[in-house]
Amino acid sequence: MTIRTTARRRATALLSLVVACITLAACGSSNSAGADPTGKPTATGVKKGLTVYFIPKDTQNPYEVLADAGGKKALRELGGKVVVSSGTADTAAAQIPSIQAAIQAHADAIVIAGNDPSALCPSLNQASAAGIKIVSFDSDISCGTSPNHLFINQADTKVIGTSEVDLLAKEIHSTGQIAILSAAASATNQNAWIGYMKQELAKYPNMKLVSTVYGNDDPATSLTVLQGLLSAYPNLKGIISPTTVGISTAAQYLSSHKDVAAKVTLTGLGLPSQMKSYVHDGTVKSFELWNPSNLGYLAGYAAASLASGSASLQAGSTFKAGTLGSYKVLGPAAGIGPSVVLGPPTVFDAANVDRFDF
Ligand code: RAM
């Protein structure tokens, strides 16, 4: 079985699980979509009956599937609904028809992960002019001030970049050639994290970044560029893969090529569910992430709050995000407009990786 097939099957299995959970939860809920046709605000100040379009980078990436499920859970709690719509390639072109669909459907808000910082802006401007609130999550968009939007950041951008370099440095004793296995070359989140990785590397003069390769969040492409990397740099000591698709593909390869795994240390951002077997077989020592479902859940609450007028883009505006508690909008800083941060990333290793269900 190919890595691509395996990954797609895992994604499908995850999707079925998530769909099953959503169905079960919806059955037991008195707050399901369209429950109150009057559109009266709920106790949180959010109107009922809202429709939010979730446009992830790619509907088949297991990470995005979990995030979308979090968004669905949020809107279900609020008496609204989420429509998930996007392509399967991590490109802006694959996302534009979904923005148009949201406009046609008179959606209340769009929650989008930008595959390309500016390519989506004309369509998003059109959506905004039609009264749709714009929220980015996972990977920010860059449209200047038009349309205004709120970025739901998974964790502090600088912390994500610097902590991955620090994790690797600890494991390779701050010495040797290293490389980055990224997702799409145009992805805002990846490039922002890589920028901070490069800054942090200045602290480690004996660690040298020799290459950054792009697997486009596609398992087969990630494997091809990984193999190219390993043959071009036979002395490579470490790889950082800040994408769940890249790190799981690389871990699977190293796990079945122990001679390479003995020389190359892998870390980055991974799903504990996909990575735990590689931690237990000694292929990977540690990696990081946050809860992707919580990210989608927070984005869902933020979108609904903006669409209801109970939150704004002003720094200091607060809104309730269900079981996650209250969140505050941060003012623009370091290349990011108004944003909300989910929380700090978690480091996973053999001691804790089994405790997480995502
Ligand atoms: C990938 C996606 C996503 C990134 C996570 C960590 O699945 O590229 O954008 O944030 O991994």
Side-chain angles (χ1 to χ4, degrees):
M1 199 184 297
T2 63
I3 285 192
R4 188 191 177 99
T5 315
T6 311
R8 291 289 183 219
R9 279 195 186 160
R10 278 192 197 138
T12 311
L14 240 175
L15 186 64
S16 322
L17 190 71
V18 164
V19 169
C21 296
I22 286 166
T23 311
L24 279 175
C27 294
S29 166
S30 59
N31 220 9
S32 57
D36 182 351
T38 63
K40 276 193 217 132
T42 60
T44 55
V46 168
K47 289 180 189 158
K48 286 193 176 180
L50 297 175
T51 298
V52 179
Y53 265 60
F54 262 60
I55 309 179
K57 281 179 166 180
D58 164 352
T59 53
Q60 291 185 348
N61 177 339
Y63 174 92
E64 310 276 337
V65 172
L66 287 167
D68 298 338
K72 287 181 180 174
K73 184 170 177 251
L75 267 296
R76 198 171 54 241
E77 287 174 5
L78 292 168
K81 71 167 179 181
V82 160
V83 176
V84 177
S85 177
S86 194
T88 53
D90 284 24
T91 61
Q95 295 183 300
I96 289 171
S98 300
I99 300 174
Q100 294 302 331
I103 297 171
Q104 294 298 319
H106 304 290
D108 297 287
I110 286 175
V111 174
I112 189 160
N115 273 319
D116 189 319
S118 57
L120 301 165
C121 299
S123 305
L124 290 174
N125 271 320
Q126 217 184 315
S128 176
I132 300 176
K133 297 293 177 195
I134 312 294
V135 171
S136 60
F137 81 140
D138 176 22
S139 186
D140 198 11
I141 51 172
S142 172
C143 301
T145 53
S146 174
N148 277 321
H149 73 279
L150 181 65
F151 175 43
I152 310 299
N153 203 352
Q154 37 274 332
D156 181 90
T157 307
K158 184 175 181 181
V159 168
I160 297 173
T162 56
S163 61
E164 286 177 77
V165 169
D166 295 342
L167 264 187
L168 183 60
K170 211 167 137 192
E171 291 186 39
I172 65 171
H173 309 294
S174 313
T175 304
Q177 295 183 343
I178 68 157
I180 297 170
L181 168 55
S182 180
S186 59
T188 324
N189 57 344
Q190 296 286 319
N191 291 333
W193 298 334
I194 291 169
Y196 283 115
M197 286 181 206
K198 288 180 178 167
Q199 272 186 27
E200 187 69 357
L201 277 169
K203 288 191 191 161
Y204 302 101
N206 297 326
M207 269 166 77
K208 187 171 163 20
L209 177 64
V210 291
S211 182
T212 300
V213 293
Y214 299 92
N216 296 336
D217 269 352
D218 172 66
T221 311
S222 303
L223 178 60
T224 304
V225 296
L226 169 73
Q227 287 172 320
L229 195 59
L230 293 170
S231 67
Y233 299 96
N235 295 322
L236 200 66
K237 287 278 178 303
I239 297 174
I240 299 174
S241 187
T243 141
T244 58
V245 179
I247 195 173
S248 57
T249 302
Q252 187 178 356
Y253 180 85
L254 294 180
S255 173
S256 54
H257 294 79
K258 298 286 185 203
D259 52 327
V260 188
K263 295 188 292 185
V264 181
T265 297
L266 172 66
T267 190
L269 303 175
L271 289 165
S273 57
Q274 289 187 320
M275 297 298 293
K276 60 183 169 192
S277 64
Y278 306 120
V279 170
H280 292 311
D281 78 4
T283 305
V284 172
K285 197 164 172 217
S286 60
F287 63 98
E288 294 181 90
L289 203 69
W290 42 87
N291 184 328
S293 314
N294 286 350
L295 177 65
Y297 183 82
L298 175 57
Y301 266 87
S305 303
L306 286 176
S308 303
S310 55
S312 77
L313 298 181
Q314 290 303 312
S317 170
T318 56
F319 63 95
K320 291 206 173 80
T323 53
L324 293 177
S326 282
Y327 279 81
K328 193 180 273 184
V329 173
L330 306 175
I336 297 177
S339 71
V340 171
V341 177
L342 175 66
T346 301
V347 176
F348 307 100
D349 57 22
N352 69 355
V353 72
D354 293 325
R355 277 192 247 138
F356 298 87
D357 63 355
F358 53 87

